[in-house]
Amino acid sequence: MCPDCCQTATRKFEKVCEILDKHQCDPCKLIPILQEVQKVYRYLPEEVLTYIATGLGLSPAKVYGVASFYANFSLTPKGKYVVHICDGTACHVKGSGLIKDALFKKLSLSQDKKTTEDMLFTVEAVSCLGACGLAPVLTINGKVYGQVTPAMAESLIDDIIAGEKK
Amino acid sequence: MPDKNTLLLNGKPVAIDNEKNLLEVIRKANIDLPTFCYHSELSVYGACRLCIVEIDGMGIQTSCSIKAAPGMVVRTHTDRLRKMRRIYLELLLANHHQTCTTCVKSSMCKLQDLAAKMGVTEVRFKSRQGSKPLDASNPSLVRDPNKCILCGDCVRACEELQGVGAIDFAHRGAGTTVMPAFGKELKQVDCVYCGLCASVCPTGAITPKPQIEAVWSAIGNPQKTVVAQIAPAVRVALGEMFGLEAGQVTTGKIVAALKMLGFDKVYDTSYAADLTVLEETSEFLVRKTKGEKLPQFTSCCPAWVKFAEQYLPQFLPNLSSCRSPQQMFGALAKHTLPEQLKIDPKALFVVSIMPCTAKKFEAQRPEFAADGVPDVDAVLTTQELGQMIRQAGIRFNDLTPDSLDMPMGFKTGAGVIFGTTGGVTEAVLRFAAEKLTNVKNENAEFTDVRGLEGVREQTLTLGDTTLKIAIVHGLKNAKLLAEAVAKGERQYDFIEVMACPGGCISGAGQPVAFDAKTRARRAEGLYNTDKTLQLHAAQDNPYLQKCYRDTLGEIGGKTAHRLLHTHYHSRKRFEDAGFSVSGADTAKKLDVCVCVGTSCYVRGSQKLMERTLEFVKAEGLADRVDVRATFCFEQCDRGPTVRIGKTVINKCTIEQVREELQKQVVAV
Amino acid sequence: MIVEKIDLNTVQNDFNRKMAAVKRRVIICAGTGCVANGALEVYDALAAAIAERKLDVVLELKEEKPADIYLSKSGCQGFCQAGPLVTVEPEGFLYCKVRPGDAAEIVEQTLIGGAAVQRLLYKHPVSGQAIEKQDDIPFYKRQNRYVIGDCGVLNPECIEEYISRGGYAAARKAFTQMSPEAVCEEIATSGLRGRGGGGFPTGKKWQLTLAQQNAKKYVICNGDEGDPGAFMDRSLMEGNPHRVLEGMMIAARAIGADEGYVYVRAEYPLAVQRVRKAVADAEAAGLLGDNLFGSGLSFNVIVMEGAGAFVCGEETAMIASIEGQRGMPRPKPPFPAQSGLWGKPTVINNVETLATVPLIIAQGSSIYRTMGTEGSPGTKTFALTGHVANTGLIEVPFGTTLREIIFQIGGGVTDRFGNPDPDGFKAVQIGGPSGGCLTADALDLPLDFESVKGIGAMIGSGGLVVMNQDTCIVQVARFFMQFTQNESCGKCVPCREGTKQMLALLDDIIEGNADEQTLMLLEDLAQAVQLGSLCGLGKTAPNPVLSTLRYFRDEYLAHVRQKRCPTGQCKALAQPEIIAALCKGCGACVKKCPVGAIKGEKRQPHTLDAEVCVKCGSCVQVCKFNAIVGV
């Protein structure tokens, strides 16, 4: 494995320790801690959660219970590009379901399988993003696209794939 | 004209007497409002919504979460409320595998009971979810998530009373499930098998793991001689399964039933409890004289032992080295009975009838087997015995009592009171008193240590010796006490720990009791038995004296030690957890594992890990050394623990890591 | 350590002088919506175009220095459909749908020439007339942007600008000139009611909390606006975070709290960022921290991001979340006023409520009472979405009618393609997943908390979804039920199991597997869920179902009796047919049909056998004449 990856793993773990220390290992701060740790790993690995439980003096079942309750926490690795399709009222009424179907079909995904094999894309429906005037809305790694059609969505994906190939 | 401190309940005035909540007032007034998630010893959850009442000016409220106030006008069974309760039961039943006839909890299940009581005659909703797998791989408990109604009693019991938290709610909404961390099995996490979860579970979602078939098998095997030992707590509770009062002692009938089932001999665990008293008290007095390894903790509760091994490794030397009465019995039986009964040692099959699920785990501990044959072959809970009796069609109540077999059926009152909190302590004191005062008092009682509160303290003086004693039940209480001792805030000579509320009488294997008074009645049954026996102090047990003369030799001597004592080891909490911190490819690399389990973490393994990583980086060893974080080397009392290659270093410092790395990396 | 305290009056004067030195101000709406539409690119293009013309532009008012133009970004201006929006002061021109390519023209014609760029002005949809000023546009004219008005003007990242508009003066008044009782009293007299949906009198809530004897109390700002289709709070947090903080400070003064939390949905990253910055700037200015305004009192604010659970908008669930637990609500009583965060007395207020508080303290409760109705004084923001011409964020006084909102401010109902459909009004969903629907009968009802409750709906947080005649009302009920089911925390039986079964029953109705028993069961269940759930989410979850059943029972009956969906939206109930008048008999569909369901003579209208049809839709795809429907 390249020295880069060793560096990364080490840095990630050190970050976790930093995060715990910053919050003084206060169990009440579990949620901000999980949020910050997820930014480091892009999801919450099981061993890291156990480590956090140890550090905070909580049972791992409790930490798992909190992590699995909130939709923003992911217990499985996410793709490089995370696509969120808004399913709020306005977007729904304007056809967000069709966009989701189109992307699922294009990337061979489903309700149970939201990340592509090559770990490039994760596609999820999310609750209202509050940009209802632009419905239907999707975001890719946080960047907001409004008045999206299925065709537009597909071409956004194509652009990314092309960009990755280079 | 209502009194200042009354409320109106369905039109009638009821006095308020500082009850915890409105529900308790209503129950006091003889209305048994249904509940699932309310338990008087746990925090209020308010989720099942069955205890709803209508209060003027407040609308519909759950009575468990409201305090009664003077002048309240409360109605408990209006049209709306009845309809609502029925619908909520229908909703629960819709998800539930309605296989009552084949369910082990049938006739003891609250869902079944309330559905009938509330008049649910049809379930108008369809099941909308699939099947979840069972978790039955551990020795003590079976988890069936399909029967779970998510009342959360087990979660709260495990966390609030036992301080373990092995199970909790996971996921959300309709997908919510009670499970161990990451959906693992109980065996893979830090469950101590106390079974409190099963005790409080209103349905069959968590039940003791049955071993009935194994026992039937042994009984049916002509080459096996099957003997039973009955624990104290069993005799004051088994009758409840046949309509008798809690606390009614039915030892004679139990013996008769066991003999009818096909057991060859029936003995009494209390005999071994007497034995435990002798060994443990002697051990204690030695420690007290030397002033070492104090406080001494009792060790007869296997859930407590596992708990201590997992969370309090620094106190393992303080645990009494005595085995529990169940295991002392097993060891002694396997050692003496073959000759006595003139059978092949391999033919002996020892069954213990216990109020407890942790005993099933204890019987399978590798330390309690000789040549691969366990000292106790099978453990049946009180409930399982009841089931076996029913399976055979025996009419328990009509049985003519029979007597226990000798010599291991003979006990003093000291051995019997083991089953209740404070009982072990009092039994020990009855022996210690004689030893310390040199005065024989055959009727010595120590009522001050009796009671049902969770934490009790007593200081008493016997002769020239002052003893500071603590008695706890509930593992959370035990942990808090131990931590206080560790910090030097408290000081004791002797601490009795029982995991179950009130001691073994409330064990998870006992008949399901919906009534809080049951515990007190069962305890009373044991103390009454003590009263009615001729002998009350373990040292007066003549058969035990003979046993020492003929077999064991000295109390605490070599043979006694081999058969009746044990050792403990700190324990891994989670199976196979660990992750590579340096992210290196492990092939052909030197493996450096730093333990980040709780005990080592608290002793600074995190900092140690960080400095190790710095060192590896600084020396340019990243491509040859893989640093991993692991969970538990089971050497918690000697942490922080680091393994470098094949070398394990306890109480490790960064200097030792550097040194060892230099040695091994240079060599590689 | 004593932080360098700023003097509000000094800051105010300084800033006003700096503003006065600038000839023109160009404000670009940079709310999330406009940003998604490219507002930031417009900003950059304008900055570049201005620089190219060598005009003197400042991007931040750092010093008092004459300049031609102050180019700044604001929060959401509310007219999302028409964004990106650019406003030019002092003329007050509002430009709509601005593209980066328009920058040069704007600079030339307006910033230098002082005239409006006609083609960028708002055009009245009927008369075609161009309207120059924001206030003259029908969308804005009928509004009273009392609370959110500043969002579209000031730079939300500039604390000095906020102060220049009187910011933090109300807090100073509360801390130095009023007792806690007086603050509570003033808010109580104003009649301000919680804007998060509950409508509980804010002053009363504060009084109850003040009355608790406890040294430690908390203020929590509920920024977990999760109603789908609602973005009022987002706009306030993004557009005027300081006003929200000021409201929190006044609340703290009123109840005796020294610590506060702002709980913001993580799905609003811009709001999180703006609030965090506002807190930091306020701390640096000595407006948060110790010895506020020399009073000796402290108030510190912590910003916490939600982690994706709608239920955390419920106050006890939010408290659980701040405590690091699963966001599961707790039984009330005890109420947070008595026992809240970590068991201490806590006030939880909605963002809009808090943003209103400084205005009331500054101007007085009697001014506030001149707006709105007797029982519901003041104004309310609404997020107007759905089949309406002008979607966006509006604010009107209570007592405004639906008719005014939809037809005057909203510009009327549209069809599914966005074209005006004057007779298209079917209903309005008010209050999101906790709310109900209002029909044509309610168009002239003056909207306030009581009147809406009286007809079986609730104002809620202010989401207004307009639905035209093409909308299947059963699908609407189902949409909201699915949302609620998804977000149910799972703790209590009625909500967890009840909403699941209700959703399944609605699916049965939509799939054509229901009968009249289903409707009865649905209603029975809805009642049980409404009466017995632990928290507001469960209690209000059945509202959309109950409300639509009440007003559109016939539509439900059609679904269960005739297995027919009157609007044709329910695919499973669709009756496929060929419209004879449109069919040219070309036979293209016959070739495509995999089951031979279509028959007909050449050049004669064909017929479709619904019994044989598998609804694959291949025929629809090839028909050039749109003659096939119901597939």
PDB file of all heavy atoms in Angstrom, chain C residues 172-179 182 253:
ATOM      1  N   ARG C 172     -30.429  45.576  24.165  1.00  0.00           N
ATOM      2  CA  ARG C 172     -29.844  46.488  25.169  1.00  0.00           C
ATOM      3  C   ARG C 172     -30.945  47.017  26.081  1.00  0.00           C
ATOM      4  O   ARG C 172     -30.791  47.103  27.288  1.00  0.00           O
ATOM      5  CB  ARG C 172     -29.134  47.640  24.463  1.00  0.00           C
ATOM      6  CG  ARG C 172     -28.485  48.628  25.424  1.00  0.00           C
ATOM      7  CD  ARG C 172     -27.751  49.729  24.722  1.00  0.00           C
ATOM      8  NE  ARG C 172     -28.622  50.476  23.838  1.00  0.00           N
ATOM      9  CZ  ARG C 172     -28.198  51.396  22.989  1.00  0.00           C
ATOM     10  NH1 ARG C 172     -26.920  51.675  22.892  1.00  0.00           N
ATOM     11  NH2 ARG C 172     -29.049  52.035  22.211  1.00  0.00           N
ATOM     12  N   LYS C 173     -32.067  47.372  25.453  1.00  0.00           N
ATOM     13  CA  LYS C 173     -33.202  47.858  26.257  1.00  0.00           C
ATOM     14  C   LYS C 173     -33.653  46.791  27.259  1.00  0.00           C
ATOM     15  O   LYS C 173     -33.876  47.075  28.436  1.00  0.00           O
ATOM     16  CB  LYS C 173     -34.346  48.204  25.299  1.00  0.00           C
ATOM     17  CG  LYS C 173     -35.579  48.781  25.945  1.00  0.00           C
ATOM     18  CD  LYS C 173     -36.584  49.169  24.847  1.00  0.00           C
ATOM     19  CE  LYS C 173     -37.925  49.558  25.449  1.00  0.00           C
ATOM     20  NZ  LYS C 173     -38.942  49.773  24.403  1.00  0.00           N
ATOM     21  N   ALA C 174     -33.756  45.559  26.775  1.00  0.00           N
ATOM     22  CA  ALA C 174     -34.224  44.480  27.657  1.00  0.00           C
ATOM     23  C   ALA C 174     -33.262  44.254  28.822  1.00  0.00           C
ATOM     24  O   ALA C 174     -33.666  44.041  29.954  1.00  0.00           O
ATOM     25  CB  ALA C 174     -34.405  43.199  26.859  1.00  0.00           C
ATOM     26  N   PHE C 175     -31.972  44.322  28.538  1.00  0.00           N
ATOM     27  CA  PHE C 175     -30.998  44.031  29.583  1.00  0.00           C
ATOM     28  C   PHE C 175     -30.797  45.190  30.540  1.00  0.00           C
ATOM     29  O   PHE C 175     -30.457  44.985  31.707  1.00  0.00           O
ATOM     30  CB  PHE C 175     -29.646  43.660  28.953  1.00  0.00           C
ATOM     31  CG  PHE C 175     -29.522  42.199  28.642  1.00  0.00           C
ATOM     32  CD1 PHE C 175     -29.989  41.684  27.440  1.00  0.00           C
ATOM     33  CD2 PHE C 175     -28.961  41.313  29.552  1.00  0.00           C
ATOM     34  CE1 PHE C 175     -29.896  40.337  27.159  1.00  0.00           C
ATOM     35  CE2 PHE C 175     -28.865  39.955  29.282  1.00  0.00           C
ATOM     36  CZ  PHE C 175     -29.324  39.460  28.075  1.00  0.00           C
ATOM     37  N   THR C 176     -30.968  46.420  30.051  1.00  0.00           N
ATOM     38  CA  THR C 176     -30.614  47.548  30.898  1.00  0.00           C
ATOM     39  C   THR C 176     -31.806  48.346  31.399  1.00  0.00           C
ATOM     40  O   THR C 176     -31.696  49.034  32.405  1.00  0.00           O
ATOM     41  CB  THR C 176     -29.671  48.516  30.161  1.00  0.00           C
ATOM     42  OG1 THR C 176     -30.325  48.973  28.967  1.00  0.00           O
ATOM     43  CG2 THR C 176     -28.373  47.839  29.785  1.00  0.00           C
ATOM     44  N   GLN C 177     -32.923  48.279  30.717  1.00  0.00           N
ATOM     45  CA  GLN C 177     -34.044  49.132  31.134  1.00  0.00           C
ATOM     46  C   GLN C 177     -35.289  48.360  31.551  1.00  0.00           C
ATOM     47  O   GLN C 177     -36.260  48.946  31.992  1.00  0.00           O
ATOM     48  CB  GLN C 177     -34.432  50.078  29.993  1.00  0.00           C
ATOM     49  CG  GLN C 177     -33.365  51.105  29.697  1.00  0.00           C
ATOM     50  CD  GLN C 177     -33.654  51.807  28.369  1.00  0.00           C
ATOM     51  OE1 GLN C 177     -34.824  51.969  28.006  1.00  0.00           O
ATOM     52  NE2 GLN C 177     -32.616  52.194  27.664  1.00  0.00           N
ATOM     53  N   MET C 178     -35.257  47.051  31.334  1.00  0.00           N
ATOM     54  CA  MET C 178     -36.470  46.293  31.655  1.00  0.00           C
ATOM     55  C   MET C 178     -36.124  45.140  32.581  1.00  0.00           C
ATOM     56  O   MET C 178     -35.058  44.541  32.473  1.00  0.00           O
ATOM     57  CB  MET C 178     -37.092  45.740  30.361  1.00  0.00           C
ATOM     58  CG  MET C 178     -37.522  46.809  29.359  1.00  0.00           C
ATOM     59  SD  MET C 178     -37.979  46.073  27.761  1.00  0.00           S
ATOM     60  CE  MET C 178     -39.626  45.476  28.114  1.00  0.00           C
ATOM     61  N   SER C 179     -37.068  44.817  33.449  1.00  0.00           N
ATOM     62  CA  SER C 179     -36.876  43.642  34.292  1.00  0.00           C
ATOM     63  C   SER C 179     -37.327  42.418  33.507  1.00  0.00           C
ATOM     64  O   SER C 179     -38.071  42.556  32.521  1.00  0.00           O
ATOM     65  CB  SER C 179     -37.736  43.772  35.548  1.00  0.00           C
ATOM     66  OG  SER C 179     -39.106  43.691  35.183  1.00  0.00           O
ATOM     67  N   ALA C 182     -40.956  42.437  33.099  1.00  0.00           N
ATOM     68  CA  ALA C 182     -41.445  43.432  32.141  1.00  0.00           C
ATOM     69  C   ALA C 182     -41.284  42.933  30.706  1.00  0.00           C
ATOM     70  O   ALA C 182     -42.156  43.153  29.856  1.00  0.00           O
ATOM     71  CB  ALA C 182     -40.688  44.739  32.328  1.00  0.00           C
ATOM     72  N   ARG C 253     -32.975  37.005  28.663  1.00  0.00           N
ATOM     73  CA  ARG C 253     -33.188  38.027  29.691  1.00  0.00           C
ATOM     74  C   ARG C 253     -34.536  37.785  30.371  1.00  0.00           C
ATOM     75  O   ARG C 253     -34.675  37.885  31.584  1.00  0.00           O
ATOM     76  CB  ARG C 253     -33.164  39.420  29.034  1.00  0.00           C
ATOM     77  CG  ARG C 253     -33.600  40.574  29.918  1.00  0.00           C
ATOM     78  CD  ARG C 253     -32.766  40.665  31.148  1.00  0.00           C
ATOM     79  NE  ARG C 253     -33.090  41.806  31.986  1.00  0.00           N
ATOM     80  CZ  ARG C 253     -32.754  41.889  33.264  1.00  0.00           C
ATOM     81  NH1 ARG C 253     -32.067  40.909  33.830  1.00  0.00           N
ATOM     82  NH2 ARG C 253     -33.067  42.950  33.972  1.00  0.00           N
TER      83      ARG C 253
END
